[in-house]
Coordinates of all heavy atoms in Angstrom, one line a residue:
M1457 N 0.8 -1.2 0.0 CA 0.0 0.0 0.0 C 0.9 1.3 0.0 O 0.6 2.2 -0.7 CB -0.9 0.0 1.2 CG -1.8 1.3 1.3 SD -3.0 1.2 2.6 CE -2.4 2.4 3.7
W1458 N 1.9 1.3 0.8 CA 2.8 2.5 0.9 C 3.5 2.7 -0.4 O 3.7 3.9 -0.8 CB 3.8 2.3 2.0 CG 3.2 2.2 3.3 CD1 3.3 1.2 4.2 CD2 2.2 3.1 4.0 NE1 2.6 1.4 5.4 CE2 1.9 2.5 5.2 CE3 1.6 4.3 3.6 CZ2 1.0 3.1 6.1 CZ3 0.7 4.9 4.4 CH2 0.4 4.3 5.7
D1459 N 3.8 1.7 -1.2 CA 4.4 1.9 -2.5 C 3.5 2.6 -3.4 O 3.9 3.5 -4.2 CB 4.8 0.5 -3.1 CG 5.9 -0.2 -2.4 OD1 6.8 0.6 -1.8 OD2 6.0 -1.4 -2.5
I1460 N 2.2 2.3 -3.4 CA 1.2 2.9 -4.2 C 1.1 4.4 -3.8 O 1.1 5.3 -4.7 CB -0.2 2.2 -4.2 CG1 -0.1 0.8 -4.8 CG2 -1.2 3.1 -4.9 CD1 -1.2 -0.1 -4.5
L1461 N 1.0 4.7 -2.5 CA 0.8 6.0 -2.0 C 2.1 6.9 -2.3 O 1.9 8.1 -2.6 CB 0.6 6.0 -0.5 CG -0.8 5.6 -0.1 CD1 -0.8 5.5 1.4 CD2 -1.9 6.6 -0.6
S1462 N 3.2 6.3 -2.3 CA 4.4 7.1 -2.4 C 4.9 7.2 -3.9 O 5.9 7.9 -4.1 CB 5.5 6.5 -1.5 OG 5.9 5.2 -2.0
K1463 N 4.3 6.5 -4.8 CA 4.8 6.4 -6.2 C 5.1 7.8 -6.8 O 6.2 8.0 -7.3 CB 3.8 5.7 -7.0 CG 4.3 5.3 -8.4 CD 3.4 4.5 -9.2 CE 4.0 4.1 -10.5 NZ 3.1 3.2 -11.2
E1464 N 4.2 8.7 -6.7 CA 4.4 10.0 -7.3 C 4.3 11.1 -6.3 O 4.0 12.3 -6.6 CB 3.4 10.3 -8.5 CG 3.7 9.3 -9.6 CD 2.8 9.6 -10.8 OE1 2.5 10.7 -11.1 OE2 2.4 8.6 -11.5
M1465 N 4.7 10.8 -5.1 CA 4.6 11.8 -4.0 C 5.7 12.8 -4.1 O 6.9 12.5 -4.4 CB 4.8 11.0 -2.7 CG 4.6 11.8 -1.5 SD 4.4 10.8 0.0 CE 5.7 9.6 -0.1
H1466 N 5.3 14.1 -4.0 CA 6.3 15.2 -4.0 C 6.7 15.6 -2.6 O 7.8 16.2 -2.4 CB 5.7 16.4 -4.8 CG 5.4 16.1 -6.2 ND1 6.4 16.0 -7.2 CD2 4.2 15.8 -6.8 CE1 5.8 15.7 -8.3 NE2 4.5 15.5 -8.1
A1467 N 5.8 15.4 -1.7 CA 6.1 15.7 -0.3 C 5.0 15.1 0.6 O 4.0 14.6 0.0 CB 6.0 17.3 -0.1
F1468 N 5.2 15.1 1.9 CA 4.1 14.5 2.7 C 4.1 15.2 4.1 O 5.1 15.8 4.5 CB 4.2 13.0 2.8 CG 5.4 12.4 3.5 CD1 5.4 12.1 4.8 CD2 6.6 12.2 2.7 CE1 6.5 11.6 5.4 CE2 7.7 11.6 3.3 CZ 7.7 11.3 4.7
I1469 N 3.0 15.1 4.7 CA 2.8 15.6 6.1 C 2.4 14.4 7.0 O 1.6 13.6 6.6 CB 1.6 16.6 6.2 CG1 1.9 17.8 5.3 CG2 1.4 17.0 7.6 CD1 0.7 18.8 5.2
V1470 N 3.1 14.2 8.1 CA 2.7 13.2 9.1 C 2.1 14.0 10.2 O 2.7 14.8 10.9 CB 4.0 12.4 9.6 CG1 3.5 11.5 10.7 CG2 4.6 11.7 8.4
L1471 N 0.8 13.7 10.4 CA 0.0 14.3 11.4 C 0.0 13.4 12.6 O -0.5 12.2 12.5 CB -1.4 14.6 11.0 CG -2.4 15.2 12.0 CD1 -2.0 16.6 12.3 CD2 -3.8 15.2 11.5
V1472 N 0.6 13.8 13.7 CA 0.7 13.0 14.9 C -0.2 13.6 16.0 O -0.3 14.8 16.1 CB 2.1 12.7 15.4 CG1 2.9 12.0 14.3 CG2 2.8 14.0 15.8
D1473 N -0.7 12.7 16.9 CA -1.4 13.1 18.0 C -0.4 13.3 19.2 O 0.1 12.3 19.7 CB -2.4 12.0 18.4 CG -3.4 12.3 19.5 OD1 -3.0 13.2 20.4 OD2 -4.4 11.7 19.6
S1474 N -0.2 14.5 19.6 CA 0.7 14.8 20.7 C 0.3 14.3 22.0 O 1.1 14.3 22.9 CB 0.9 16.4 20.8 OG 1.3 16.9 19.6
Y1475 N -0.9 13.8 22.1 CA -1.4 13.2 23.4 C -1.2 11.7 23.4 O -1.3 11.1 24.5 CB -2.8 13.7 23.6 CG -3.3 13.4 25.0 CD1 -2.9 14.1 26.1 CD2 -4.2 12.3 25.2 CE1 -3.4 13.8 27.3 CE2 -4.7 12.0 26.4 CZ -4.3 12.8 27.5 OH -4.8 12.5 28.8
D1476 N -1.1 11.1 22.3 CA -1.1 9.6 22.1 C 0.3 9.1 22.0 O 0.8 9.0 20.9 CB -2.0 9.2 20.9 CG -2.0 7.7 20.7 OD1 -1.6 6.9 21.6 OD2 -2.6 7.3 19.6
R1477 N 0.9 8.7 23.1 CA 2.3 8.3 23.0 C 2.5 7.0 22.2 O 3.5 6.8 21.6 CB 2.8 8.1 24.4 CG 3.2 9.5 25.0 CD 2.8 9.6 26.5 NE 3.2 10.8 27.2 CZ 2.4 11.9 27.2 NH1 1.3 11.9 26.6 NH2 2.8 13.0 27.8
E1478 N 1.5 6.1 22.3 CA 1.6 4.8 21.5 C 1.5 5.1 20.0 O 2.1 4.5 19.2 CB 0.5 3.9 21.9 CG 0.6 3.5 23.4 CD 0.4 2.0 23.6 OE1 0.2 1.3 22.7 OE2 0.6 1.6 24.8
G1479 N 0.7 6.1 19.6 CA 0.6 6.5 18.2 C 1.9 7.0 17.7 O 2.2 6.9 16.5
L1480 N 2.7 7.6 18.6 CA 4.0 8.1 18.1 C 4.9 7.0 17.7 O 5.7 7.2 16.8 CB 4.7 9.0 19.2 CG 3.9 10.3 19.5 CD1 4.6 11.0 20.7 CD2 3.9 11.2 18.3
V1481 N 4.8 5.9 18.3 CA 5.6 4.7 17.9 C 5.2 4.3 16.5 O 6.1 4.0 15.7 CB 5.4 3.5 18.9 CG1 6.1 2.3 18.5 CG2 5.9 3.9 20.3
Q1482 N 3.9 4.3 16.2 CA 3.5 3.9 14.9 C 3.9 5.0 13.9 O 4.3 4.6 12.7 CB 2.0 3.8 14.9 CG 1.5 2.6 15.7 CD 0.0 2.6 15.8 OE1 -0.7 3.5 15.4 NE2 -0.6 1.6 16.5
A1483 N 3.9 6.2 14.3 CA 4.3 7.3 13.4 C 5.8 7.2 13.1 O 6.2 7.5 11.9 CB 4.0 8.7 14.0
K1484 N 6.6 6.8 14.0 CA 8.0 6.6 13.8 C 8.3 5.6 12.8 O 9.1 5.7 11.9 CB 8.7 6.3 15.2 CG 10.2 6.3 15.1 CD 10.8 6.1 16.5 CE 12.3 6.3 16.5 NZ 12.9 6.2 17.8
R1485 N 7.5 4.5 12.9 CA 7.6 3.4 11.9 C 7.3 3.9 10.5 O 7.9 3.6 9.5 CB 6.8 2.2 12.3 CG 7.5 1.3 13.2 CD 6.7 0.0 13.4 NE 6.3 0.0 14.8 CZ 5.1 -0.3 15.3 NH1 4.1 -0.6 14.4 NH2 4.8 -0.2 16.5
L1486 N 6.2 4.6 10.4 CA 5.7 5.2 9.1 C 6.8 6.1 8.5 O 7.1 6.0 7.3 CB 4.4 5.9 9.3 CG 3.8 6.6 8.1 CD1 3.4 5.5 7.1 CD2 2.7 7.5 8.5
L1487 N 7.4 7.0 9.3 CA 8.4 7.8 8.9 C 9.6 7.0 8.3 O 10.1 7.4 7.3 CB 8.9 8.8 10.0 CG 8.0 10.0 10.3 CD1 8.4 10.6 11.6 CD2 8.0 10.9 9.1
R1488 N 10.0 6.0 9.0 CA 11.1 5.2 8.6 C 10.7 4.6 7.2 O 11.6 4.5 6.3 CB 11.3 4.1 9.6 CG 12.7 3.6 9.7 CD 13.0 2.6 10.8 NE 12.6 3.1 12.1 CZ 11.9 2.4 13.0 NH1 11.5 1.2 12.7 NH2 11.6 2.9 14.1
T1489 N 9.5 4.1 7.0 CA 9.1 3.5 5.8 C 9.2 4.5 4.6 O 9.8 4.2 3.6 CB 7.6 3.0 5.9 OG1 7.6 2.0 6.9 CG2 7.2 2.4 4.5
F1490 N 8.7 5.7 4.8 CA 8.7 6.7 3.8 C 10.1 7.3 3.5 O 10.4 7.6 2.4 CB 7.7 7.9 4.1 CG 6.3 7.5 3.7 CD1 5.3 7.8 4.6 CD2 6.0 7.0 2.4 CE1 4.0 7.5 4.2 CE2 4.7 6.7 2.1 CZ 3.7 6.9 3.0
R1491 N 10.9 7.3 4.5 CA 12.3 7.8 4.3 C 13.1 6.9 3.4 O 14.0 7.3 2.7 CB 13.0 7.9 5.6 CG 12.7 9.2 6.4 CD 13.6 9.3 7.6 NE 13.0 10.1 8.6 CZ 12.9 9.8 9.9 NH1 13.4 8.6 10.3 NH2 12.3 10.5 10.8
R1492 N 12.7 5.6 3.4 CA 13.4 4.6 2.6 C 13.0 4.8 1.1 O 13.7 4.2 0.2 CB 13.1 3.2 3.0 CG 13.8 2.8 4.2 CD 13.7 1.3 4.5 NE 13.3 1.2 5.9 CZ 12.3 0.5 6.4 NH1 11.5 -0.3 5.5 NH2 12.0 0.4 7.6
K1493 N 11.9 5.5 0.9 CA 11.5 5.7 -0.5 C 12.3 6.7 -1.3 O 12.2 6.9 -2.5 CB 10.0 6.2 -0.5 CG 9.1 5.2 0.1 CD 9.0 3.9 -0.6 CE 8.0 3.0 0.1 NZ 8.1 1.6 -0.5
G1494 N 13.2 7.4 -0.6 CA 14.0 8.4 -1.2 C 14.0 9.7 -0.4 O 13.4 9.8 0.7
R1495 N 14.5 10.8 -1.0 CA 14.6 12.0 -0.3 C 13.4 12.9 -0.6 O 13.5 13.9 -1.4 CB 15.9 12.7 -0.7 CG 17.1 11.8 -0.3 CD 18.5 12.4 -0.6 NE 18.9 13.6 0.1 CZ 19.1 13.7 1.4 NH1 18.7 12.8 2.2 NH2 19.6 14.8 1.9
I1496 N 12.3 12.5 -0.1 CA 11.0 13.3 -0.3 C 10.9 14.2 0.9 O 10.9 13.8 2.0 CB 9.8 12.3 -0.3 CG1 10.0 11.3 -1.5 CG2 8.5 13.0 -0.5 CD1 9.1 10.1 -1.4
P1497 N 10.7 15.5 0.6 CA 10.5 16.5 1.7 C 9.2 16.2 2.5 O 8.2 15.7 2.0 CB 10.3 17.8 0.9 CG 10.6 17.6 -0.5 CD 10.6 16.1 -0.7
Y1498 N 9.3 16.4 3.8 CA 8.2 16.1 4.7 C 8.3 17.0 5.9 O 9.3 17.6 6.2 CB 8.1 14.7 5.0 CG 9.1 14.2 6.0 CD1 8.9 14.2 7.4 CD2 10.4 13.8 5.5 CE1 9.9 13.8 8.3 CE2 11.4 13.3 6.4 CZ 11.1 13.3 7.8 OH 12.1 12.9 8.6
L1499 N 7.2 17.1 6.6 CA 7.1 17.8 7.8 C 6.2 17.0 8.7 O 5.4 16.2 8.3 CB 6.7 19.3 7.7 CG 5.3 19.6 7.2 CD1 4.3 19.5 8.3 CD2 5.4 21.1 6.7
V1500 N 6.3 17.3 10.0 CA 5.5 16.6 11.0 C 4.6 17.7 11.6 O 5.1 18.8 12.0 CB 6.3 15.9 12.1 CG1 5.4 15.4 13.2 CG2 7.2 14.8 11.5
A1501 N 3.3 17.5 11.7 CA 2.3 18.3 12.3 C 2.0 17.7 13.7 O 1.4 16.6 13.7 CB 1.1 18.6 11.5
A1502 N 2.3 18.4 14.8 CA 2.1 17.8 16.1 C 0.7 18.3 16.5 O 0.6 19.5 17.0 CB 3.2 18.3 17.1
N1503 N -0.3 17.5 16.4 CA -1.7 17.9 16.6 C -2.0 17.8 18.1 O -1.3 17.2 18.9 CB -2.6 17.0 15.8 CG -4.0 17.5 15.8 OD1 -4.3 18.7 15.9 ND2 -5.0 16.5 15.8
K1504 N -3.1 18.4 18.5 CA -3.7 18.5 19.8 C -2.8 19.3 20.8 O -2.7 19.0 22.0 CB -4.0 17.1 20.4 CG -5.1 16.4 19.6 CD -5.5 15.1 20.3 CE -6.6 14.4 19.5 NZ -6.9 13.2 20.1
Q1505 N -2.1 20.3 20.3 CA -1.3 21.1 21.1 C -2.1 21.9 22.1 O -1.6 22.5 23.0 CB -0.4 22.1 20.3 CG 0.7 21.3 19.5 CD 1.7 20.7 20.5 OE1 2.4 21.5 21.2 NE2 1.8 19.4 20.5
D1506 N -3.4 21.9 21.9 CA -4.3 22.6 22.9 C -4.8 21.8 24.0 O -5.5 22.2 24.9 CB -5.5 23.2 22.1 CG -6.3 22.1 21.4 OD1 -5.8 21.0 21.1 OD2 -7.5 22.3 21.2
V1507 N -4.4 20.5 24.0 CA -4.8 19.6 25.0 C -3.9 19.5 26.2 O -2.6 19.4 26.0 CB -5.0 18.1 24.4 CG1 -5.3 17.1 25.5 CG2 -6.0 18.1 23.3
E1508 N -4.4 19.7 27.4 CA -3.6 19.6 28.6 C -2.9 18.3 28.6 O -3.4 17.2 28.3 CB -4.5 19.8 29.8 CG -3.7 20.0 31.1 CD -4.5 20.3 32.3 OE1 -5.7 20.7 32.1 OE2 -4.1 20.0 33.4
N1509 N -1.6 18.3 29.0 CA -0.7 17.1 29.1 C -0.3 16.6 27.8 O 0.3 15.5 27.8 CB -1.3 16.0 30.0 CG -1.5 16.5 31.4 OD1 -0.7 17.2 32.0 ND2 -2.6 16.1 32.1
A1510 N -0.6 17.3 26.7 CA 0.0 16.8 25.4 C 1.5 17.1 25.4 O 2.0 18.0 26.1 CB -0.7 17.6 24.3
L1511 N 2.2 16.2 24.7 CA 3.7 16.4 24.6 C 3.9 17.7 23.9 O 3.2 18.1 22.9 CB 4.3 15.3 23.9 CG 4.3 13.9 24.6 CD1 4.9 12.9 23.6 CD2 5.1 14.0 25.8
S1512 N 5.0 18.4 24.3 CA 5.4 19.6 23.5 C 5.9 19.2 22.2 O 6.2 18.0 21.9 CB 6.5 20.3 24.3 OG 7.7 19.5 24.3
V1513 N 6.1 20.2 21.3 CA 6.6 19.9 20.0 C 8.0 19.3 20.1 O 8.4 18.4 19.4 CB 6.7 21.3 19.2 CG1 7.5 21.1 17.9 CG2 5.3 21.7 18.9
E1514 N 8.8 19.8 21.0 CA 10.2 19.3 21.2 C 10.1 17.8 21.7 O 10.9 17.0 21.2 CB 10.9 20.2 22.3 CG 11.2 21.6 21.8 CD 10.0 22.5 21.9 OE1 9.0 22.2 22.7 OE2 10.0 23.6 21.3
A1515 N 9.2 17.5 22.6 CA 9.1 16.1 23.1 C 8.6 15.2 22.0 O 9.1 14.1 21.9 CB 8.2 16.1 24.3
V1516 N 7.7 15.7 21.1 CA 7.3 14.9 20.0 C 8.5 14.6 19.0 O 8.7 13.5 18.6 CB 6.1 15.6 19.2 CG1 5.8 14.8 17.9 CG2 4.9 15.6 20.1
A1517 N 9.2 15.7 18.7 CA 10.4 15.5 17.9 C 11.4 14.5 18.4 O 11.9 13.6 17.7 CB 11.1 16.8 17.7
K1518 N 11.6 14.5 19.7 CA 12.5 13.6 20.4 C 11.9 12.2 20.3 O 12.6 11.2 20.0 CB 12.7 14.0 21.8 CG 13.7 13.1 22.5 CD 14.0 13.6 23.9 CE 15.0 12.7 24.6 NZ 15.4 13.2 25.9
A1519 N 10.6 12.0 20.6 CA 10.0 10.7 20.5 C 10.1 10.1 19.1 O 10.2 8.8 19.0 CB 8.5 10.8 21.0
L1520 N 10.0 10.9 18.1 CA 10.1 10.4 16.7 C 11.5 10.3 16.2 O 11.7 9.8 15.1 CB 9.3 11.4 15.8 CG 7.8 11.4 16.0 CD1 7.2 12.5 15.1 CD2 7.1 10.1 15.8
G1521 N 12.5 10.7 17.0 CA 13.9 10.7 16.6 C 14.2 11.6 15.4 O 15.0 11.3 14.6
L1522 N 13.5 12.8 15.4 CA 13.8 13.8 14.4 C 15.0 14.6 14.6 O 15.3 14.9 15.8 CB 12.6 14.7 14.2 CG 11.2 14.0 14.0 CD1 10.1 15.1 13.9 CD2 11.2 13.3 12.7
D1523 N 15.7 15.0 13.6 CA 16.8 15.9 13.7 C 16.3 17.3 13.6 O 15.1 17.5 13.3 CB 17.9 15.6 12.7 CG 17.4 15.8 11.3 OD1 16.5 16.5 11.0 OD2 18.0 15.2 10.4
E1524 N 17.2 18.2 13.9 CA 16.7 19.6 13.9 C 16.4 20.2 12.6 O 15.8 21.2 12.5 CB 17.8 20.5 14.6 CG 19.2 20.5 14.0 CD 20.0 19.3 14.5 OE1 19.7 18.7 15.5 OE2 21.0 19.0 13.8
K1525 N 16.7 19.5 11.5 CA 16.4 19.9 10.1 C 15.0 19.6 9.8 O 14.4 20.2 8.9 CB 17.3 19.3 9.1 CG 18.8 19.7 9.2 CD 19.6 19.0 8.2 CE 21.1 19.4 8.3 NZ 21.9 18.7 7.3
T1526 N 14.4 18.6 10.4 CA 13.0 18.2 10.1 C 12.0 19.2 10.7 O 12.0 19.4 11.9 CB 12.7 16.8 10.6 OG1 13.7 15.9 10.1 CG2 11.3 16.4 10.2
P1527 N 11.2 19.9 9.9 CA 10.2 20.8 10.4 C 9.1 20.0 11.2 O 8.6 19.0 10.7 CB 9.6 21.4 9.2 CG 10.5 21.1 8.1 CD 11.2 19.8 8.4
I1528 N 8.9 20.5 12.4 CA 7.8 20.0 13.2 C 6.9 21.2 13.6 O 7.4 22.1 14.3 CB 8.2 19.1 14.4 CG1 7.0 18.6 15.2 CG2 9.2 19.8 15.2 CD1 7.3 17.4 16.0
I1529 N 5.7 21.2 13.2 CA 4.8 22.3 13.4 C 3.7 22.0 14.4 O 3.0 21.0 14.3 CB 4.1 22.7 12.0 CG1 5.2 22.7 10.8 CG2 3.4 24.0 12.1 CD1 6.3 23.7 11.0
P1530 N 3.5 22.9 15.4 CA 2.4 22.7 16.3 C 1.1 22.9 15.6 O 1.0 23.7 14.6 CB 2.6 23.8 17.4 CG 3.5 24.8 16.7 CD 4.3 24.1 15.7
C1531 N 0.1 22.1 16.0 CA -1.1 22.1 15.2 C -2.3 21.8 16.1 O -2.2 21.1 17.1 CB -1.1 21.1 14.1 SG -2.5 21.0 13.1
V1532 N -3.4 22.4 15.8 CA -4.7 22.1 16.4 C -5.6 21.9 15.2 O -6.0 22.9 14.5 CB -5.3 23.2 17.3 CG1 -6.6 22.9 17.8 CG2 -4.3 23.5 18.4
A1533 N -5.9 20.7 14.8 CA -6.6 20.3 13.6 C -8.0 20.9 13.4 O -8.5 21.1 12.3 CB -6.7 18.8 13.4
T1534 N -8.6 21.3 14.5 CA -9.9 21.9 14.4 C -9.9 23.5 14.2 O -10.9 24.1 14.1 CB -10.7 21.6 15.7 OG1 -10.0 22.1 16.8 CG2 -11.0 20.1 15.8
D1535 N -8.7 24.0 14.2 CA -8.5 25.4 14.0 C -7.9 25.7 12.6 O -6.8 25.3 12.3 CB -7.5 25.9 15.1 CG -7.1 27.4 14.9 OD1 -8.0 28.2 14.6 OD2 -6.0 27.8 15.2
R1536 N -8.7 26.4 11.8 CA -8.4 26.7 10.4 C -7.0 27.3 10.3 O -6.2 27.0 9.4 CB -9.4 27.5 9.7 CG -10.7 26.8 9.4 CD -11.6 27.7 8.7 NE -12.8 27.0 8.4 CZ -13.5 27.1 7.2 NH1 -13.1 27.9 6.3 NH2 -14.5 26.4 7.0
A1537 N -6.8 28.3 11.1 CA -5.5 29.1 11.0 C -4.3 28.1 11.3 O -3.3 28.2 10.6 CB -5.5 30.2 12.0
S1538 N -4.5 27.2 12.2 CA -3.4 26.3 12.5 C -3.1 25.3 11.4 O -2.0 25.1 11.0 CB -3.8 25.5 13.8 OG -2.8 24.6 14.1
V1539 N -4.2 24.8 10.8 CA -4.1 23.9 9.6 C -3.4 24.7 8.4 O -2.6 24.2 7.7 CB -5.4 23.3 9.2 CG1 -5.3 22.5 8.0 CG2 -5.9 22.4 10.4
R1540 N -3.9 25.9 8.2 CA -3.3 26.8 7.2 C -1.8 26.9 7.4 O -1.1 26.9 6.4 CB -4.1 28.1 7.1 CG -3.7 28.9 5.9 CD -4.4 30.3 5.8 NE -5.9 30.0 5.8 CZ -6.7 30.4 6.7 NH1 -6.3 31.1 7.8 NH2 -8.0 30.2 6.6
N1541 N -1.4 27.2 8.6 CA 0.0 27.3 8.9 C 0.8 26.1 8.5 O 1.9 26.2 7.9 CB 0.2 27.6 10.4 CG 1.6 27.9 10.7 OD1 2.3 28.7 10.1 ND2 2.1 27.2 11.7
V1542 N 0.3 24.9 8.8 CA 0.9 23.6 8.4 C 1.1 23.6 6.9 O 2.2 23.3 6.4 CB 0.2 22.4 9.0 CG1 0.7 21.1 8.4 CG2 0.2 22.4 10.5
L1543 N 0.0 23.9 6.2 CA 0.1 23.9 4.7 C 1.0 24.9 4.2 O 1.8 24.6 3.2 CB -1.3 24.0 4.1 CG -2.3 22.9 4.5 CD1 -3.7 23.2 4.0 CD2 -1.8 21.6 3.9
Q1544 N 1.1 26.1 4.8 CA 2.0 27.1 4.3 C 3.5 26.6 4.6 O 4.4 26.9 3.7 CB 1.8 28.4 5.0 CG 0.5 29.1 4.6 CD 0.1 30.3 5.4 OE1 0.5 30.4 6.6 NE2 -0.7 31.2 4.8
E1545 N 3.7 26.0 5.7 CA 5.0 25.4 5.9 C 5.4 24.4 4.9 O 6.6 24.3 4.5 CB 5.1 24.9 7.4 CG 5.1 26.0 8.4 CD 6.2 27.0 8.4 OE1 7.4 26.5 8.0 OE2 6.0 28.1 8.6
L1546 N 4.5 23.6 4.5 CA 4.7 22.6 3.5 C 5.1 23.2 2.2 O 6.0 22.8 1.5 CB 3.5 21.6 3.3 CG 3.7 20.5 2.3 CD1 4.8 19.5 2.7 CD2 2.4 19.8 2.0
K1547 N 4.4 24.3 1.8 CA 4.6 25.0 0.6 C 6.1 25.6 0.6 O 6.8 25.5 -0.3 CB 3.6 26.2 0.4 CG 3.8 27.0 -0.8 CD 2.8 28.1 -0.9 CE 3.1 28.9 -2.2 NZ 2.3 30.1 -2.2
K1548 N 6.5 26.2 1.8 CA 7.8 26.7 1.9 C 8.8 25.6 1.7 O 9.9 25.8 1.1 CB 8.0 27.3 3.3 CG 7.4 28.6 3.5 CD 7.7 29.1 4.9 CE 6.7 30.1 5.4 NZ 7.0 30.5 6.8
L1549 N 8.5 24.4 2.3 CA 9.4 23.3 2.2 C 9.6 22.9 0.7 O 10.7 22.6 0.3 CB 8.9 22.1 3.0 CG 9.7 20.9 3.2 CD1 11.0 21.2 4.0 CD2 8.9 19.9 4.0
L1550 N 8.5 22.8 0.0 CA 8.6 22.5 -1.4 C 9.3 23.5 -2.3 O 10.0 23.2 -3.2 CB 7.2 22.3 -2.0 CG 6.5 21.0 -1.6 CD1 5.0 21.0 -1.9 CD2 7.2 19.8 -2.2
E1551 N 9.1 24.8 -1.9 CA 9.8 25.8 -2.7 C 11.3 25.8 -2.4 O 12.1 26.2 -3.3 CB 9.3 27.2 -2.3 CG 7.8 27.4 -2.8 CD 7.2 28.6 -2.2 OE1 7.7 29.2 -1.2 OE2 6.1 29.0 -2.7
G1552 N 11.7 25.3 -1.3 CA 13.1 25.2 -0.9 C 13.8 24.0 -1.4 O 15.0 23.9 -1.3
S1553 N 13.1 23.0 -1.9 CA 13.7 21.8 -2.4 C 14.0 21.8 -3.8 O 13.7 22.6 -4.6 CB 12.8 20.6 -2.0 OG 11.6 20.6 -2.7

């Protein structure tokens, strides 16, 4: 399935739940899979930043094993401005590649 999804992919966003620590383990596996497909630009959107006890953006980056070059954007998926910011960051990433 991932081969089909990544066939003509120009970039991707991984939306993670900052409150779901088990989900971060799955996201880490997904990132590993897509990184093997080549040098495709991506960013991570750390969702649920408005939830009490959610991991910080820095803690999410650490849990995913991201380096400082990988953009990780705080996000609240129910907030249009927040989602727009994630998409704008993806656009910048594509323009820079």
Side-chain angles (χ1 to χ4, degrees):
M1457 178 173 112
W1458 299 124
D1459 289 333
I1460 294 168
L1461 285 174
S1462 65
K1463 189 174 183 179
E1464 294 186 37
M1465 184 167 47
H1466 298 284
F1468 64 95
I1469 298 171
V1470 176
L1471 179 67
V1472 298
D1473 183 336
S1474 301
Y1475 191 74
D1476 180 9
R1477 283 143 177 86
E1478 299 228 358
L1480 292 174
V1481 173
Q1482 294 172 356
K1484 189 173 184 176
R1485 275 189 246 131
L1486 179 67
L1487 281 169
R1488 209 175 305 133
T1489 298
F1490 278 131
R1491 283 188 204 131
R1492 282 190 233 132
K1493 301 293 180 191
R1495 300 182 65 59
I1496 301 167
Y1498 71 94
L1499 63 80
V1500 174
N1503 192 31
K1504 294 190 181 176
Q1505 288 295 298
D1506 59 334
V1507 174
E1508 189 175 336
N1509 296 324
L1511 292 175
S1512 67
V1513 170
E1514 295 79 16
V1516 171
K1518 185 175 180 178
L1520 295 176
L1522 301 178
D1523 61 26
E1524 56 277 344
K1525 293 180 183 179
T1526 304
I1528 181 162
I1529 313 300
C1531 181
V1532 177
T1534 57
D1535 176 38
R1536 284 180 181 224
S1538 181
V1539 173
R1540 187 176 302 116
N1541 182 53
V1542 171
L1543 294 174
Q1544 288 171 338
E1545 290 298 322
L1546 182 66
K1547 182 180 176 193
K1548 286 182 202 174
L1549 189 64
L1550 285 168
E1551 290 169 348
S1553 64

